[in-house]
């Protein structure tokens, strides 16, 4: 872009009288500008921005989160203000920028990548557990973490942003580890021949303290970021809230729900080790007889 500006000489730009007496060529003659147009003083943009030869106006605002959220204001502008302005101004188009534009571009990619990551996690768990249903018990921890992140934002009066989603994605892997530890200990006890109920209770009690300690240390580790008031750290606060409160509240709920889900799974599907033992007992006697 090359900016072209046509101006009068410096000594002729000292007063508005010079502009009113400025003569404009018309039909071979020079006519005073005041005879052709009425000159008025008003606000004007310092620069004119154009995209594809169309003039662009950039509107920015600082929101008070105690009155309205950015999402609510955006919905009002796009749903109510935009149709009214388009009826008054022909050819007017309104597009979002800033954080709203970043969210619209990043959210589909985040959802696609998160789905792919969960498919890989499910495949690895299915190979480890030799079961397609038991990994679902581990992955059910993710909604509880998301619930904890929402409650954390609500308690601190923060709005969910794209940075909060980054924290929730990271939270998913952390909270899965806690459920994975408990399920692995349950499987070990079931493989040793313990009854279902006894195996579940003992495994949860054995892993309760390690899970509690890892949860508290993770929450306390991000607490300084949550309590930070400096401007430089404000963009990290939503991520820290999602991660800290998500693992604190999500794990607390999970530790009580996980035993019930495990018992329900055992009653419906049984345990892979128990199924293999029962299949071995059903083999014909000829297959177990020693060779003569």
């Amino acid at each position: 872009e090359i900016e072209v500006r046509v101006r009068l000489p410096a000594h002729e730009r000292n007063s508005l009288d010079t502009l009113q007496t400025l003569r404009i060529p018309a039909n071979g003659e020079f006519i005073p500008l005041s005879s052709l147009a009425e000159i008025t003083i008003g606000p004007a943009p310092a620069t004119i921005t154009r995209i594809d030869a169309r003039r662009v106006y950039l509107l920015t605002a600082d929101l008070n989160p105690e009155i309205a959220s950015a999402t609510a204001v955006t919905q009002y502008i796009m749903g109510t203000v935009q149709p009214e302005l388009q009826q008054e101004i022909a050819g007017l188009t309104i597009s979002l920028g800033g954080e709203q534009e970043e969210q619209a571009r990043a959210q589909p990619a985040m959802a696609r990548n998160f789905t792919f990551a969960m498919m890989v996690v499910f495949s690895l768990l299915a190979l480890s557990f030799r079961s397609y249903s038991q990994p679902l018990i581990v992955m059910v921890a993710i909604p509880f973490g998301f619930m904890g992140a929402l409650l954390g934002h609500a308690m601190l009066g923060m709005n969910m942003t794209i940075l909060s989603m980054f924290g929730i994605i990271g939270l998913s892997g952390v909270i899965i580890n806690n459920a994975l530890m408990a399920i692995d200990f349950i499987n070990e006890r079931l493989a040793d021949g313990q009854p279902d109920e006894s195996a579940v209770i003992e495994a949860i009690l054995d892993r309760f303290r390690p899970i509690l300690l890892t949860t508290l240390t993770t929450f306390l580790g991000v607490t300084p970021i949550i309590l930070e008031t400096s401007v430089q750290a404000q963009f990290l606060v939503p991520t820290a809230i999602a991660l800290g409160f998500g693992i604190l509240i999500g794990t607390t709920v999970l530790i009580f729900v996980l035993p019930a889900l495990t018992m329900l799974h055992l009653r419906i599907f049984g345990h892979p080790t128990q199924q293999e033992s029962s299949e071995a007992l059903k083999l014909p006697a000829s297959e177990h007889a020693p060779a003569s």
Side-chain angles (χ1 to χ4, degrees):
E1 295 181 358
I2 300 178
E3 181 179 351
V4 178
R5 182 176 298 178
V6 180
R7 298 191 299 179
L8 294 172
H11 66 278
E12 296 183 9
R13 302 198 305 264
N14 295 328
S15 70
L16 293 177
D17 295 336
T18 303
L19 185 62
Q20 292 176 351
T21 58
L22 178 66
R23 295 183 176 273
I24 305 298
N27 296 328
E29 299 180 359
F30 288 89
I31 303 174
L33 180 60
S34 58
S35 301
L36 301 176
E38 180 181 353
I39 301 176
T40 58
I41 300 176
T47 59
I48 299 177
T49 304
R50 296 182 184 274
I51 298 179
D52 297 332
R54 300 188 63 181
R55 183 174 295 186
V56 177
Y57 296 94
L58 179 63
L59 304 179
T60 61
D62 294 327
L63 296 177
N64 185 351
E66 297 180 357
I67 299 177
S69 64
T71 303
V73 174
T74 302
Q75 292 176 350
Y76 174 75
I77 293 175
M78 302 303 293
T80 304
V81 177
Q82 181 179 8
E84 296 177 356
L85 292 177
Q86 287 177 335
Q87 292 179 357
E88 299 177 4
I89 305 174
L92 173 67
T93 58
I94 299 177
S95 59
L96 299 177
E99 184 178 341
Q100 300 289 337
E101 182 182 12
E102 291 294 332
Q103 288 186 2
R105 182 168 56 247
Q107 284 178 351
M110 289 174 57
R112 181 176 61 255
N113 296 335
F114 181 73
T115 302
F116 176 74
M118 291 299 101
M119 292 174 61
V120 173
V121 171
F122 177 83
S123 301
L124 295 176
L125 293 176
L127 290 174
S128 176
F129 292 153
R130 291 179 296 177
S131 171
Y132 291 109
S133 56
Q134 198 171 37
L136 297 177
I137 303 178
V138 177
M139 300 185 70
V140 80
I142 298 176
F144 292 123
F146 183 73
M147 178 186 65
L150 290 178
L151 292 177
H153 280 76
M155 287 188 293
L156 297 181
M158 297 285 293
N159 294 321
M160 292 287 294
T161 64
I162 190 172
L163 296 175
S164 303
M165 300 306 299
F166 292 157
I168 292 175
I169 292 175
L171 166 68
S172 301
V174 177
I175 199 171
I176 281 178
N177 291 338
N178 292 332
L180 182 59
M181 285 192 300
I183 296 297
D184 186 58
F185 268 64
I186 292 173
N187 289 342
E188 289 182 1
R189 281 162 173 74
L190 291 173
D192 293 338
Q194 290 189 14
D196 294 350
E197 184 175 350
S198 175
V200 171
I201 294 176
E202 290 185 9
I204 295 297
L205 292 178
D206 287 345
R207 302 313 300 167
F208 178 77
R209 185 171 64 177
I211 291 175
L212 178 64
L213 291 177
T214 55
T215 299
L216 291 178
T217 53
T218 304
F219 175 75
L220 295 176
V222 298
T223 298
I225 301 178
I226 297 175
L227 301 178
E228 182 61 49
T229 57
S230 63
V231 178
Q232 293 83 355
Q234 289 307 301
F235 74 98
L236 288 175
V237 173
T239 304
I241 292 175
L243 182 58
F245 282 91
I247 192 171
L248 180 64
I249 300 176
T251 303
T252 302
V253 176
L254 178 68
I255 204 66
F256 293 100
V257 176
L258 187 63
L261 293 177
T262 305
M263 287 300 303
L264 181 63
H265 174 268
L266 291 174
R267 292 178 180 178
I268 297 176
F269 300 101
H271 188 263
T273 304
Q274 296 172 346
Q275 293 175 359
E276 291 176 1
S277 300
S278 61
E279 291 176 358
L281 292 175
K282 294 178 182 179
L283 292 175
S286 59
E287 297 186 13
H288 292 277
S292 58

